[in-house]
Amino acid sequence: RGVCIAASVHQVKSFLNHTAYLSCYFPNSQKTDIKDLRVFWQKGAVEVVHEVYYGQEIHDNLSPKYVNRTKMDMDKWTLQLSNAGIVDEGQYTCIIQHRDKGSPKVIHKSECLLHIIANYSQPEIAQLNTGEPKPNAYLNLSCSSSGGYPEPKNMTWLISHENITYRRMHHMDVSQDAVTKLYNVTTKLNITVPTNTFTNISCLLHLGEQLGSLVSVPLGIEIQGEEMEQVKINFFGPLIAVIILITLLLGFLILKKNRNISTSNQSVSLAV
């Protein structure tokens, strides 16, 4: 029997706290009985993850952190690692030995590289300025996302107005929780936006080529310029003056009419 060694390291992804599936990629073309094989998994060079000794699972040599967390599907030659955590990331080796005249010989060997994924929260934009944005004033924004793994590539701002979208990339602050090992990321933007034009601002979190991206809820802003305020004043000023004039005129007419009625009543009284 020759040794079958996988040509490349197989990439395996698993979500945090889910079950990871690591395959031996053993074809078993000769339909060898499991009772004639010894199968064991190890992480790195020293940690024993799982062992099947001629058909029986044994736990004597397992690394303590893998006890009661592993199970071997012998039909699919796949190891199930439950509650996969970030500390479980790394390279795993599957080694299969055949009992040949009492002396076991390695007939298969393959390697898997386990990557853990934790979903980031949807990026959220916060406005750091207080009060309403003013014309020609700087707009200070931050975009944050938390609780994810692995560390993302970058964060990009998307600024759209008048059917044109601009991309701006700024420094991304990254922090990692000492216990959970999950990442929190933040980036900031300091810009002026055009007046009298509706502007849409979004934040895009790039997780990597195979993991895609997350986008924030867009922030819509429209700042009215000083000339628009002046137009409002120029329009409403004369309008208010006309309303006041009409009110005074109506008041004068009503007052005059009341006086005429009063004079008529006095004339009738004298005639009587």
Side-chain angles (χ1 to χ4, degrees), residues 53-247:
Y53 189 80
Y54 302 120
Q56 298 294 322
E57 291 185 312
I58 60 174
H59 309 283
D60 299 343
N61 302 319
L62 299 189
S63 175
K65 65 181 180 182
Y66 294 108
V67 174
N68 298 325
R69 292 181 58 209
T70 58
K71 180 181 178 182
M72 190 76 181
D73 184 341
M74 299 310 300
D75 293 327
K76 298 180 179 178
W77 301 94
T78 298
L79 179 72
Q80 300 175 15
L81 175 62
S82 64
N83 196 29
I86 293 173
V87 293
D88 294 320
E89 274 197 325
Q91 188 158 308
Y92 292 78
T93 304
C94 172
I95 300 172
I96 300 178
Q97 295 177 334
H98 180 261
R99 179 160 42 191
D100 188 8
K101 296 179 182 179
S103 177
K105 292 184 179 180
V106 176
I107 62 170
H108 181 82
K109 183 178 180 181
S110 64
E111 295 177 333
C112 291
L113 187 60
L114 176 61
H115 304 274
I116 300 299
I117 301 168
N119 288 327
Y120 281 85
S121 63
Q122 183 180 20
E124 186 174 347
I125 296 176
Q127 192 169 328
L128 304 179
N129 303 71
T130 56
E132 292 294 324
K134 302 294 182 182
N136 302 319
Y138 276 93
L139 190 66
N140 295 314
L141 303 175
S142 71
C143 181
S144 302
S145 180
S146 61
Y149 192 89
E151 183 178 347
K153 300 300 180 183
N154 54 62
M155 300 181 86
T156 303
W157 291 96
L158 303 178
I159 305 159
S160 304
H161 56 80
E162 296 179 347
N163 296 324
I164 301 174
T165 300
Y166 304 90
R167 289 176 174 264
R168 294 184 63 172
M169 190 180 298
H170 291 263
H171 173 72
M172 180 177 67
D173 293 318
V174 180
S175 63
Q176 187 178 26
D177 188 280
V179 178
T180 65
K181 304 301 180 183
L182 299 177
Y183 288 100
N184 301 320
V185 292
T186 302
T187 188
K188 294 181 180 179
L189 179 69
N190 190 15
I191 60 167
T192 57
V193 297
T195 54
N196 310 322
T197 302
F198 186 79
T199 301
N200 243 340
I201 301 176
S202 300
C203 175
L204 198 63
L205 176 64
H206 300 274
L207 302 175
E209 292 182 3
Q210 297 181 347
L211 298 177
S213 301
L214 292 174
V215 66
S216 68
V217 174
L219 175 67
I221 296 177
E222 185 172 10
I223 301 177
Q224 293 181 339
E226 294 176 354
E227 64 275 8
M228 291 296 290
E229 295 295 331
Q230 189 63 38
V231 167
K232 284 185 178 180
I233 293 171
N234 291 341
F235 175 75
F236 285 109
L239 181 61
I240 292 171
V242 170
I243 292 172
I244 293 173
L245 183 61
I246 292 173
T247 303

Side-chain angles (χ1 to χ4, degrees), residues 5-11 110-112:
I5 300 177
S8 60
V9 177
H10 300 278
Q11 307 294 320
S110 64
E111 295 177 333
C112 291

Side-chain angles (χ1 to χ4, degrees), residues 1-4 26-37 77 96 98-100 105-108:
R1 287 175 179 267
V3 180
C4 178
F26 180 50
N28 195 18
S29 56
Q30 299 186 20
K31 307 298 180 182
T32 306
D33 193 324
I34 186 64
K35 294 180 180 180
D36 292 325
L37 298 176
W77 301 94
I96 300 178
H98 180 261
R99 179 160 42 191
D100 188 8
K105 292 184 179 180
V106 176
I107 62 170
H108 181 82

